[in-house]
Amino acid sequence: MKQPWWKSAVAYQIYPRSFKDSNGDGVGDIRGIIEKLDHLQDLGIDVVWISPLYKSPMDDCGYDISDYYAIDPLFGTNEDMYELIDEAKKRGIKIIMDLVINHCSDEHEWFQKALADPTCEEADYFYFRESKDGPPNNWRSMFGGSVWENVGGDRYYMHLFGKKQPDLNWENPKLREKLYENIRWWLDRGIAGFRVDAIVHIKKDPTLASREPQWDGMCGLLDCARNYPGINDFLAEMRDKAFTGYDVECMTVAEAPGVPQEELKFYVGENGFFSMLFDFTYSEINLWNAGWECARPKEDIPTTELRDSIYKHILDAQEVGWTAVYLENHDYSRSVNKYLPTGDQRDYHGVTMLATMYMNLRGTPFIYQGQEIGSTNIIFNSIDEVNDISTLNNWRGWTAAGLPLEQKMAGLQYSRDQNRIPMQWTAGENAGFTTGKAWLPINPNHVEINVEAQQNDPNSVLSYYKKLVKARKESVVSDALSLGDFEPVLLEDGDIIAYKRIGETSSALVINNYLKAEHEVTLPCAVKSVVLSNYDDVAIEGDKLILKPYQAIVFEI
Ligand code: GLC
């Protein structure tokens, strides 16, 4: 059966502000991305998701769009964008853009019109409500505080994220048509699809009723504005009217936490709303029921807990269709800090084990910029070093709640800006990112961790990532690793993460020793050859496999 191209693709995420600055203003841009396309080609990337490049006041770094058709001058021009699409194509790379349509910016023309004239057509593109005694309900925004903002008199508008990100009213059919028009306009310009931002929030409880108050008198959005019944009608319509009908099948990746298992088939099953989705369970495993200020380091997270949360999503998705796999994005701190015990962030074997563990799961793997060189968190010494709206809001909340400085500083280390600091290209000034002053601090460890140092070193993390990509694409088990079925094995051993991938023409066994110690396991089946390992040798005695500390192995079976 012919499979869609995006199933066997390897994807890469670019956060454009921090990828490469071509003009010395300290912020990355489109021409910078063009300069670095060869790096992505070398790595074997098929498709690149670029975080928002559209015109924006940048209150949430571009996730607040004021013109869906224009590139923000900070990043370049529309012509630069078209050139990027062409240049990428020459290298066999497709581009997908970010689609931020749960909300826009308060500086979008629609919102400006709506503010000026409450009776105009655009006023109904948003959630405006009148209320005499304070906010119309007790919903708490994702970035803290009420979801309601007063615009004078009794008039309020709703924003599930920041104040400058008014939510769009998907109940209005004219608005929906405008959004679909925009989607098709960009697809017509040659992009291959979209990563679809915050899409599980587009349907709200139409009564807008308050919920049981929590500690601050407000309530979270989970019951009232996330995966709310009725959302499927909007998503099906968007699939049919916006995403369907292109020669190269459009790739859509939904940012979709919390989709109930019984709904998953509608999202990523046959003719699903999307090609795949980003689930949050394992990516927020360190935050269970808490904020950054209470985050757990890996040494407090049993490997079985991590394994089971990953496997649950992979198995749920396998039952119905496809998914995306990832360890990092622009909303988290670095994976080596999250998933490796304190002290092991730069352990070559730990870092490459982690990469082997996730890159061979069943789904389209995404590599976040810098992950391919084993980038680590930086130490933020003060709140003044960060820019991120949600970090600043968290900090205010912690201060209001009287948290001790020490705990606030600990929380700060999980800031989204960890992954937004500049890409480390060289050991030179500003890590080769800019000739000016970078918009966020440069990690001092760029003198050791950088692309230039790693690209010709066969024993670098970067070279290992290249091997992983290659194993998926051109090895004796490429069919198994890219499209094969997923089957957990050795579940009784809580220190390893192991699974089989069973393809049509080949099968593989992937074993990852999550211990920084030698560890013996009984092979669950006969093995034919070693496709890849992060050590030169693989020790097998009879049916026993003696794993070295953090050893990862992909076998042909
Ligand atoms: C998504 C984005 C995040 C942004 C938010 C609001 O979660 O990934 O960066 O702040 O949506 O658009």
Side-chain angles (χ1 to χ4, degrees):
M1 202 176 94
K2 185 155 169 17
Q3 298 282 357
W5 67 270
W6 37 259
K7 280 196 180 175
S8 44
V10 175
Y12 187 93
Q13 182 191 352
I14 289 182
Y15 193 68
R17 294 179 77 89
S18 298
F19 192 60
K20 177 71 174 82
D21 174 21
S22 74
N23 63 0
D25 66 357
V27 178
D29 46 46
I30 295 176
R31 303 218 71 83
I33 300 176
I34 296 175
E35 273 176 40
K36 294 297 183 185
L37 282 172
D38 291 342
H39 168 67
L40 304 180
Q41 190 182 15
D42 271 1
L43 186 53
I45 297 303
D46 304 287
V47 57
V48 177
W49 151 33
I50 310 178
S51 281
L53 294 161
Y54 314 90
K55 196 150 189 289
S56 163
M58 301 289 166
D59 200 56
D60 188 13
C61 291
Y63 283 91
D64 46 325
I65 298 172
S66 54
D67 183 345
Y68 285 100
Y69 290 89
I71 295 296
D72 195 278
L74 191 63
F75 297 126
T77 61
N78 279 45
E79 279 60 44
D80 291 333
M81 184 64 195
Y82 309 148
E83 190 177 323
L84 168 62
I85 297 168
D86 273 357
E87 286 298 321
K89 196 171 175 191
K90 284 183 198 158
R91 293 164 177 84
I93 299 173
K94 297 184 170 67
I95 303 283
I96 67 175
M97 290 176 86
D98 221 304
L99 184 61
V100 189
I101 48 178
N102 171 68
H103 44 268
C104 61
S105 159
D106 64 343
E107 296 184 30
H108 193 288
E109 167 187 22
W110 297 334
F111 192 78
Q112 289 300 313
K113 283 191 180 158
L115 271 188
D117 175 7
T119 64
C120 73
E121 180 184 314
E122 287 81 0
D124 191 51
Y125 289 4
F126 300 93
Y127 284 90
F128 279 98
R129 291 292 183 277
E130 304 275 323
S131 169
K132 294 230 171 304
D133 29 53
N137 67 23
N138 72 343
W139 298 3
R140 186 192 308 112
S141 102
M142 305 282 273
F143 291 164
S146 168
V147 299
W148 296 99
E149 182 69 5
N150 184 271
V151 291
D154 299 336
R155 199 173 180 222
Y156 290 80
Y157 70 88
M158 181 163 55
H159 59 89
L160 299 190
F161 291 87
K163 285 182 189 162
K164 286 180 67 64
Q165 295 167 294
D167 274 58
L168 290 164
N169 174 19
W170 274 69
E171 309 292 337
N172 182 310
K174 273 204 184 141
L175 165 82
R176 298 203 302 273
E177 287 303 326
K178 298 223 161 184
L179 297 176
Y180 304 153
E181 227 170 76
N182 166 255
I183 293 173
R184 299 193 76 90
W185 190 88
W186 277 108
L187 288 170
D188 288 341
R189 264 139 204 89
I191 62 163
F194 294 94
R195 175 267 188 178
V196 191
D197 185 73
I199 198 67
V200 289
H201 298 294
I202 58 173
K203 178 84 185 180
K204 284 83 170 153
D205 169 3
T207 69
L208 302 184
S210 285
R211 298 295 196 273
E212 190 68 34
Q214 296 168 338
W215 49 276
D216 55 355
M218 291 189 267
C219 71
L221 296 170
L222 300 196
D223 297 339
C224 43
R226 192 175 92 161
N227 304 309
Y228 197 81
I231 189 172
N232 289 5
D233 296 336
F234 294 154
L235 298 178
E237 184 186 83
M238 174 162 65
R239 173 199 57 208
D240 296 341
K241 290 192 165 180
F243 297 146
T244 311
Y246 285 84
D247 292 347
V248 176
E249 195 184 323
C250 173
M251 165 173 167
T252 53
V253 197
E255 186 194 27
V259 176
Q261 196 183 338
E262 60 281 8
E263 292 288 309
L264 211 53
K265 58 178 179 290
F266 301 117
Y267 279 69
V268 293
E270 188 144 345
N271 194 30
F273 307 139
F274 304 104
S275 318
M276 60 191 87
L277 59 77
F278 291 126
D279 176 64
F280 282 22
T281 29
Y282 59 88
S283 54
E284 296 197 344
I285 195 157
N286 59 339
L287 301 178
W288 271 151
N289 298 323
W292 298 333
E293 72 285 8
C294 304
R296 295 185 289 174
K298 170 65 182 74
E299 51 271 31
D300 293 346
I301 305 172
T303 296
T304 46
E305 187 184 330
L306 173 62
R307 179 196 67 193
D308 294 349
S309 77
I310 296 173
Y311 283 9
K312 171 149 183 12
H313 178 63
I314 300 296
L315 290 167
D316 284 353
Q318 170 158 276
E319 247 175 63
V320 299
W322 198 248
T323 195
V325 294
Y326 70 108
L327 291 181
E328 293 189 23
N329 63 33
H330 64 292
D331 290 332
Y332 294 124
S333 46
R334 286 289 176 188
S335 59
V336 294
N337 290 77
K338 193 195 302 188
Y339 299 111
L340 291 175
T342 310
D344 291 350
Q345 281 57 49
R346 293 183 51 187
D347 182 306
Y348 169 81
H349 295 107
V351 175
T352 49
M353 180 277 296
L354 198 55
T356 316
M357 187 276 290
Y358 100 98
M359 285 277 292
N360 293 303
L361 293 168
R362 182 179 177 279
T364 301
F366 280 70
I367 301 171
Y368 180 73
Q369 69 183 41
Q371 189 187 324
E372 74 275 30
I373 53 171
S375 294
T376 72
N377 283 352
I378 190 175
I379 294 169
F380 286 124
N381 295 305
S382 143
I383 185 69
D384 300 333
E385 288 180 355
V386 307
N387 164 288
D388 167 40
I389 179 173
S390 82
T391 311
L392 299 175
N393 286 342
N394 265 309
W395 186 269
R396 253 177 248 126
W398 297 333
T399 307
L403 242 63
L405 183 63
E406 205 182 311
Q407 199 179 359
K408 294 199 297 184
M409 289 306 290
L412 183 61
Q413 307 314 320
Y414 290 86
S415 165
R416 306 199 293 183
D417 278 350
Q418 285 292 4
N419 272 20
R420 300 177 180 191
I421 61 172
M423 176 79 182
Q424 296 167 204
W425 294 106
T426 71
E429 214 177 333
N430 298 316
F433 162 71
T434 180
T435 53
K437 181 168 170 12
W439 73 289
L440 279 181
I442 304 272
N443 197 326
N445 72 16
H446 73 275
V447 292
E448 289 135 27
I449 303 178
N450 63 72
V451 173
E452 194 175 58
Q454 294 193 17
Q455 64 195 355
N456 298 318
D457 172 1
N459 298 316
S460 65
V461 173
L462 178 57
S463 296
Y464 190 81
Y465 262 94
K466 288 183 192 168
K467 288 184 204 158
L468 278 170
V469 174
K470 213 163 171 202
R472 249 186 121 84
K473 298 170 91 171
E474 30 179 290
S475 74
V476 283
V477 291
S478 55
D479 140 78
L481 295 181
S482 54
L483 299 170
D485 283 348
F486 174 81
E487 186 189 311
V489 294
L490 298 173
L491 287 172
E492 63 288 359
D493 187 331
D495 293 315
I496 63 164
I497 296 191
Y499 51 86
K500 285 185 189 169
R501 297 292 310 279
I502 319 281
E504 275 181 15
T505 58
S506 62
S507 294
L509 169 68
V510 184
I511 299 191
N512 302 286
N513 177 14
Y514 229 104
L515 286 176
K516 195 183 185 171
E518 249 191 34
H519 190 62
E520 189 178 293
V521 297
T522 304
L523 283 166
C525 58
V527 297
K528 282 194 198 148
S529 70
V530 173
V531 178
L532 181 65
S533 174
N534 58 354
Y535 280 86
D536 287 339
D537 54 321
V538 168
I540 298 179
E541 285 168 22
D543 63 351
K544 299 278 180 244
L545 171 67
I546 299 105
L547 292 158
K548 297 185 178 56
Y550 289 137
Q551 186 164 21
I553 311 169
V554 179
F555 290 106
E556 176 196 12
I557 56 172

